[in-house]
């Protein structure tokens, strides 16, 4: 039995999804034309202008199809900027916290992200939607953590539409990592209180002050 169990979202919580996208675009650009040093920047700019970067690339490099590009995108091993998650998780584990993850997405994609961050082995339980068979906000994806019989449960995420409503209903403390302007999906706090987190933080390191007393 642990006194505290912390469950995390992955995308735009532990790592920015835009950083994953940029990493994938760099790999795709290198495969498409290693002699074009700025091709990744072109793809990222197209994306930022809400243009279909994959359609553009397929037109310019007809040896590719959108299906090919999606496969590369989802299966590549991302190269993230320096991230403090590993240090934070080590501190939380040293305090006796149980750590978990609830994330939606493809198994290979999400596990490659965790490996790139160097944090996969810190989790006592990983719930990835493709492996588990349901997505947030399904109660099953959260209730499974009650096996740890913790006195206090926390969920840390960013998506107000689906991250907090279920752990709120289960009596967990919900914590939102506020968007610093880089999230792929904008945060919308104009929702019923059932959807809203109990607390907001500006950086993950703020968890230590909130949770570790």
């Amino acid at each position: 039995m642990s006194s505290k169990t912390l469950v995390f979202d992955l995308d735009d919580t532990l790592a920015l999804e835009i950083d994953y996208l940029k990493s994938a675009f760099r790999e795709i650009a290198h495969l498409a034309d290693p002699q074009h040093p700025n091709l990744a920047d072109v793809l990222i700019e197209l994306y930022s202008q809400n243009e279909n970067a994959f359609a553009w690339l397929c037109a310019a490099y007809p040896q590719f199809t959108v299906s090919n590009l999606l496969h590369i995108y989802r299966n590549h091993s991302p190269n993230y900027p320096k991230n403090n998650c590993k240090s934070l998780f080590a501190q939380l584990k040293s305090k006796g916290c149980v750590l978990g993850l609830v994330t939606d997405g493809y198994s290979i994609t999400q596990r490659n992200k965790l490996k790139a961050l160097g944090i996969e082995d810190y989790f006592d339980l990983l719930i990835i939607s493709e492996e588990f068979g349901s997505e947030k906000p399904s109660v099953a994806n959260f209730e499974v953590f009650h096996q740890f019989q913790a006195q206090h449960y926390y969920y840390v995420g960013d998506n107000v539409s689906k991250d907090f409503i279920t752990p709120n209903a289960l009596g967990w403390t919900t914590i939102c990592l506020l968007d610093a302007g880089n999230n792929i999906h904008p945060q919308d706090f104009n929702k019923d209180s059932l959807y809203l987190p109990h607390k907001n933080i500006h950086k993950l390191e703020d968890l230590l002050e909130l949770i570790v007393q």
Side-chain angles (χ1 to χ4, degrees), residues 189-200:
F189 289 89
N190 186 27
K191 293 186 178 296
D192 188 282
S193 61
L194 295 173
Y195 287 86
L196 300 180
H198 297 117
K199 302 176 186 294
N200 296 320

Side-chain angles (χ1 to χ4, degrees), residues 86-212:
K86 197 169 181 178
S87 172
L88 171 66
F89 284 5
Q91 291 180 75
L92 291 170
K93 293 296 283 187
S94 73
K95 303 293 185 182
C97 295
V98 168
L99 300 183
L101 184 86
V102 175
T103 180
D104 292 342
Y106 293 97
S107 175
I108 185 65
T109 305
Q110 302 307 82
R111 286 192 176 273
N112 280 347
K113 292 173 183 177
L114 296 174
K115 289 175 185 176
L117 292 167
I119 59 174
E120 189 175 30
D121 291 340
Y122 284 96
F123 292 106
D124 297 277
L125 180 61
L126 293 169
I127 301 298
I128 299 173
S129 62
E130 185 182 52
E131 299 173 2
F132 194 67
S134 58
E135 297 183 348
K136 294 182 288 188
S138 171
V139 69
N141 293 48
F142 296 89
E143 207 167 38
V144 65
F145 288 92
H146 289 174
Q147 67 184 277
F148 296 112
Q149 300 181 339
Q151 293 175 320
H152 302 285
Y153 284 89
Y154 301 84
Y155 189 74
V156 185
D158 72 285
N159 190 326
V160 186
S161 296
K162 65 177 183 177
D163 273 345
F164 309 118
I165 182 170
T166 301
N168 280 344
L170 292 173
W172 298 16
T173 298
T174 51
I175 302 169
C176 179
L177 179 64
L178 295 174
D179 179 9
N182 299 307
N183 289 17
I184 282 186
H185 302 293
Q187 289 176 334
D188 177 15
F189 289 89
N190 186 27
K191 293 186 178 296
D192 188 282
S193 61
L194 295 173
Y195 287 86
L196 300 180
H198 297 117
K199 302 176 186 294
N200 296 320
I201 55 175
H202 291 279
K203 57 184 187 299
L204 284 174
E205 291 80 1
D206 294 340
L207 287 172
L208 292 171
E209 185 176 341
L210 279 178
I211 291 168
V212 180

